[in-house]
Amino acid sequence: MPSAIEVRKVPIHSVADASELAKLIDEGVMEASRVIAIIGKTEGNGGVNDYTRIIADRAFREVLVEKGAPADQVKQVPIVWSGGTDGVISPHATIFATTDVADDDPSRAEQRLTVGFAMSERLLPEEIGRTPMISKVAAAVKVAMERAGITDPADVHYVQTKTPLLTIHTIRDAKSRGETVWTEHTHESMDLSNGTTALGIAVALGEIEMPTDGDVMHDRSLFSSVASCSSGVELDQAQVVVVGNATGVGGRYRIGHSVMDDALDADGIWAAIKDAGLELPERPHTSDLDGRLVNVFLKCEASQDGQVRGRRNAMLDDSDVHWHRQIKACVGGVTAAVTGDPAVFVSVSAAHQGPDGGGPVAAIVDLG
């Protein structure tokens, strides 16, 4: 049986800052050697060349080592950074660590937060956007589920991944071996990698049947309601973190999920919080959260029809500011209005993650 989980959200005060992680360890909230995953937002451009992700990664791993975790172990900790804090979104990190719960703790009889991690087989550049990538991601998700102690896919509420995108170097590598790539536009490959990964998650959880190469990025009716996929230049495998609930692990926390049907769907965010176990009035207000919401995790996407609730917008036609940044700022504002806290995990590029123009929402709450 996996261990119970302690989870905390901390602010990031500058690009290379991990002082709040150090403070948690110094105060005994968690041990450095028991940190098992970190998911956060950095303040870069969110694009292919967003190196704030690499800077933050180094800063957090260095703190873990300084505080006593073995260096070899720290190298294996999945740290997923989503770049770009457009609008009011504030840089932050959500840190997961194992903790001890007494055998007779009553929380063990109820579903509580559990986390599992896995790495896929190596993903070749020619596989990005195609079924071999879907299959490799699906296999890794199943391993992560097993490690989390989850047997029922319905108990999976959030799957955070990091996968490689295409760069000039990897495109050249594929061509040198006589292979083709789905796209030679590196920025487009971010959407592609995320979308293909989401299809792999959906297959693993039984949300859809195995799609074809032709479905990727084209059939938006195929999606996962729990996938949150990011991509970057930092790795050549799928890094998979499965977060769900299981009976027997115990602890204070529980996770739930829902979907936003469009960029303004605040009710979708409230639905995820309620699904996690908080009792809320029919028309809740931020004050009803009473400090019990740890964080929310969302993906967002500009609707392919260029509209929100029947009204036209210009995001997809804007040549000055990419739609990635515009929709992220929009959904970040909607989310912060619900939570009352701008430190929310809102990530863009949500192809095959939730319905077109919307996206999945996961919420972790503290049940005490």
Side-chain angles (χ1 to χ4, degrees), residues 152-205:
D152 186 350
D155 291 330
V156 176
H157 294 274
Y158 177 48
V159 182
Q160 178 64 58
T161 63
K162 192 76 175 187
T163 51
L165 45 70
L166 292 169
T167 65
I168 295 301
H169 172 74
T170 57
I171 292 170
R172 188 185 305 121
D173 170 64
K175 287 183 174 181
S176 72
R177 293 181 284 102
E179 301 290 346
T180 64
V181 292
W182 199 94
T183 180
E184 295 191 21
H185 297 284
T186 57
H187 198 268
E188 181 185 31
S189 76
M190 178 182 296
D191 297 337
L192 176 67
S193 182
N194 292 355
T196 312
T197 303
L199 291 173
I201 294 167
V203 168
L205 300 181

Side-chain angles (χ1 to χ4, degrees), residues 202-252:
V203 168
L205 300 181
E207 295 177 283
I208 62 171
E209 298 296 325
M210 185 69 182
T212 66
D213 284 349
D215 292 326
V216 178
M217 303 302 289
H218 293 114
D219 187 351
R220 296 301 181 101
S221 70
L222 301 176
F223 63 82
S224 171
S225 60
V226 298
S228 177
C229 305
S230 294
S231 51
V233 299
E234 306 97 310
L235 70 176
D236 61 2
Q237 297 168 277
Q239 183 173 269
V240 178
V241 181
V242 165
V243 188
N245 298 315
T247 303
V249 296
R252 298 173 48 160

Side-chain angles (χ1 to χ4, degrees), residues 91-363:
H92 69 279
T94 303
I95 303 158
F96 299 82
T98 59
T99 190
D100 296 322
V101 173
D103 291 342
D104 60 351
D105 192 302
S107 67
R108 287 189 179 274
E110 302 177 359
Q111 286 211 321
R112 289 294 189 267
L113 186 71
T114 182
V115 178
F117 166 68
M119 296 289 285
S120 76
E121 294 181 32
R122 180 171 175 246
L123 294 168
L124 301 174
E126 60 267 26
E127 294 175 334
I128 296 174
R130 294 166 176 157
T131 51
M133 181 177 185
I134 295 174
S135 297
K136 289 181 178 180
V137 169
V141 170
K142 291 179 179 178
V143 171
M145 281 179 61
E146 182 179 356
R147 291 174 176 171
I150 297 174
T151 56
D152 186 350
D155 291 330
V156 176
H157 294 274
Y158 177 48
V159 182
Q160 178 64 58
T161 63
K162 192 76 175 187
T163 51
L165 45 70
L166 292 169
T167 65
I168 295 301
H169 172 74
T170 57
I171 292 170
R172 188 185 305 121
D173 170 64
K175 287 183 174 181
S176 72
R177 293 181 284 102
E179 301 290 346
T180 64
V181 292
W182 199 94
T183 180
E184 295 191 21
H185 297 284
T186 57
H187 198 268
E188 181 185 31
S189 76
M190 178 182 296
D191 297 337
L192 176 67
S193 182
N194 292 355
T196 312
T197 303
L199 291 173
I201 294 167
V203 168
L205 300 181
E207 295 177 283
I208 62 171
E209 298 296 325
M210 185 69 182
T212 66
D213 284 349
D215 292 326
V216 178
M217 303 302 289
H218 293 114
D219 187 351
R220 296 301 181 101
S221 70
L222 301 176
F223 63 82
S224 171
S225 60
V226 298
S228 177
C229 305
S230 294
S231 51
V233 299
E234 306 97 310
L235 70 176
D236 61 2
Q237 297 168 277
Q239 183 173 269
V240 178
V241 181
V242 165
V243 188
N245 298 315
T247 303
V249 296
R252 298 173 48 160
Y253 304 95
R254 190 156 64 195
I255 187 170
H257 81 276
S258 185
V259 296
M260 291 180 75
D261 290 327
D262 61 36
L264 302 179
D265 186 16
D267 287 341
I269 304 171
W270 284 116
I273 297 170
K274 290 179 181 179
D275 188 55
L278 286 192
E279 293 186 11
L280 297 170
E282 184 177 351
R283 297 302 302 170
H285 181 267
T286 301
S287 59
D288 296 315
L289 296 173
D290 194 27
R292 293 172 295 169
L293 178 66
V294 178
N295 205 2
V296 289
F297 305 84
L298 299 89
K299 291 295 292 190
C300 59
E301 180 92 350
S303 179
Q304 296 291 294
D305 64 7
Q307 298 185 35
V308 175
R309 302 195 180 182
R311 296 290 191 180
R312 182 176 70 89
N313 62 71
M315 281 187 287
L316 296 177
D317 290 323
D318 195 329
S319 297
D320 296 312
V321 181
H322 195 275
W323 66 264
H324 275 195
R325 311 201 73 163
Q326 298 189 47
I327 192 65
K328 192 189 307 177
C330 168
V331 175
V334 172
T335 306
V338 168
T339 65
D341 182 358
V344 289
F345 186 92
V346 178
S347 177
V348 76
S349 187
H352 301 299
Q353 299 152 77
D356 182 39
V361 188

